[in-house]
Amino acid sequence: MAQRSTNTVGQTDSAGRSILMATVVTVMAVMPVFLFGAFVVLIRDDIPVADSELGLIVAAFFLASSSSSIPGGRFADRLGATAGMTMGSVTSLASLLGIGLLSSQWWHLAGFMILGGIGSGIGMSASNLLLARNVPRDKRGFAFGIKLAAAPVAGSVAGLSVPLVGLTSGWRWALVGLPVARWVGFLVLRPPAAATAADSRAASRARAPVLPMILLASASGFAAASATVTIGFFEESAVERGFSTGAAGYALAIGSFAGIFARVLWGWLADRRGRGHLAFL
C-alpha cells in the first residue's frame, strides 16, 4: 500500500512538472510572432515595413513552424522530449534577440522570424511528446488544455507589455527582456525522469493511424488559423480604427484571457468524455 501511494505521488509530480515545462516551452515557442504582432506599430516607427512585407514576415514564421514540426517530432522521438524542448527554446530565444538587437530592415525581421518558426515547430512537437509520455490518459485533455492555453497567455503578456514596457522603455527592450525571463524559468524546471531518449525510442515503435491524424491536423489547422491571424495583425488594425496603442494592447490581452479560459475548460470537458472525441471536433 505504501509503495503504491509512493508511486502515485511520483506519477503526479512527474505529470505536474511535465505540464509546467510544456507550458513554458509553448509560451516561448509562440512568443516571436506574438510579440512582433503586439509591437508592430512601434517597430514600424523604427524600421520601414510595407504592408506586403508585414504579411511576408508573419507568414515566414508560420511556414517555418509547419515545415519544422515533423522533423522536430522525429528529433524528439530519437533524442527525447527534453532535448527537443531545449533546442526549440534556444532557437526561439535567438530569434527574439535577433529581432530586438540586430534588426534594422524588414528582411532582417523576416529572417529572424523564420528562425523563430523553426524553434516553434521543434518546441511544440517536443512538448506534446512530453505530455503524451508523462500524463495519465484520463488527465490528458486537461493537461493539453493548460498547455495550449500557453499561447493566449503569450498573447496576453504581449498585449500588456505594449503599454507597460513598449511605450515606456521601447519595443526592443520588451523583445529582449521578456524571453530572457522565460528562458530562466525553463532552466529552473528539472526535466521529468520519463522524458529520456530511451523512453521516447521505446514508445515511438507504436504507429498511429494515419486517417484520424490527418483529420485532426486539418481540424486544428482551421481552428488555429483565426487565432494566429488575429494575433499577427490585431494591434495595427485596432490602431488604424482609432484605438490608442495602449488600448489596443489591453484589448489583445482581454481576448487572450478568454482564450485561456476556453482552452482549459474544453480540455477538462474532453476528459469527461469516454469516446467520440474526433467526431465531436
Side-chain angles (χ1 to χ4, degrees):
M1 181 67 69
Q3 181 65 33
R4 182 181 301 177
S5 177
T6 301
N7 291 338
T8 301
V9 172
Q11 291 173 357
T12 301
D13 179 65
S14 177
R17 287 187 290 117
S18 296
I19 295 172
L20 183 58
M21 190 176 219
T23 301
V24 172
V25 170
T26 302
V27 171
M28 295 180 68
V30 299
M31 195 60 79
V33 71
F34 279 27
L35 282 178
F36 175 79
F39 284 99
V40 67
V41 175
L42 301 179
I43 291 174
R44 294 179 85 172
D45 289 339
D46 292 339
I47 302 175
V49 179
D51 289 342
S52 59
E53 295 164 350
L54 175 61
L56 289 174
I57 292 170
V58 175
F61 176 89
F62 292 110
L63 286 174
S65 179
S66 62
S67 300
S68 60
S69 293
I70 294 178
R74 290 175 176 170
F75 175 85
D77 277 333
R78 176 166 298 185
L79 297 181
T82 301
M85 291 188 296
T86 301
M87 175 172 285
S89 298
V90 169
T91 307
S92 296
L93 177 63
S95 167
L96 283 166
L97 292 177
I99 294 173
L101 299 177
L102 303 176
S103 296
S104 59
Q105 301 291 332
W106 78 268
W107 51 272
H108 295 164
L109 298 171
F112 287 117
M113 202 63 75
I114 291 174
L115 185 64
I118 294 173
S120 175
I122 297 173
M124 288 284 199
S125 298
S127 60
N128 288 339
L129 177 65
L130 181 71
L131 294 186
R133 295 287 183 266
N134 290 0
V135 177
R137 183 183 297 271
D138 61 345
K139 297 293 189 297
R140 286 178 188 168
F142 184 64
F144 275 99
I146 294 175
K147 187 255 185 186
L148 292 174
V153 166
S156 64
V157 171
L160 292 174
S161 63
V162 174
L164 299 179
V165 181
L167 295 178
T168 56
S169 301
W171 65 270
R172 292 186 185 271
W173 281 106
L175 264 73
V176 172
L178 291 174
V180 168
R182 278 159 184 75
W183 175 246
V184 172
F186 174 77
L187 293 178
V188 169
L189 296 173
R190 292 184 301 170
T196 63
D199 289 330
S200 295
R201 285 195 296 268
S204 65
R205 297 190 182 99
R207 299 182 63 85
V210 175
L211 182 58
M213 293 298 295
I214 293 176
L215 292 174
L216 184 60
S218 300
S220 61
F222 282 114
S226 60
T228 53
V229 170
T230 300
I231 290 295
F233 301 103
F234 174 82
E235 181 79 15
E236 186 169 39
S237 298
V239 170
E240 289 183 356
R241 291 181 177 273
F243 282 70
S244 68
T245 301
Y250 284 123
L252 177 60
I254 292 172
S256 297
F257 285 131
I260 294 170
F261 174 78
R263 294 181 187 215
V264 175
L265 174 63
W266 284 111
W268 179 81
L269 291 175
D271 285 331
R272 310 278 76 77
R273 295 177 61 92
R275 54 186 299 179
H277 294 88
L278 190 59
F280 181 70
L281 287 176

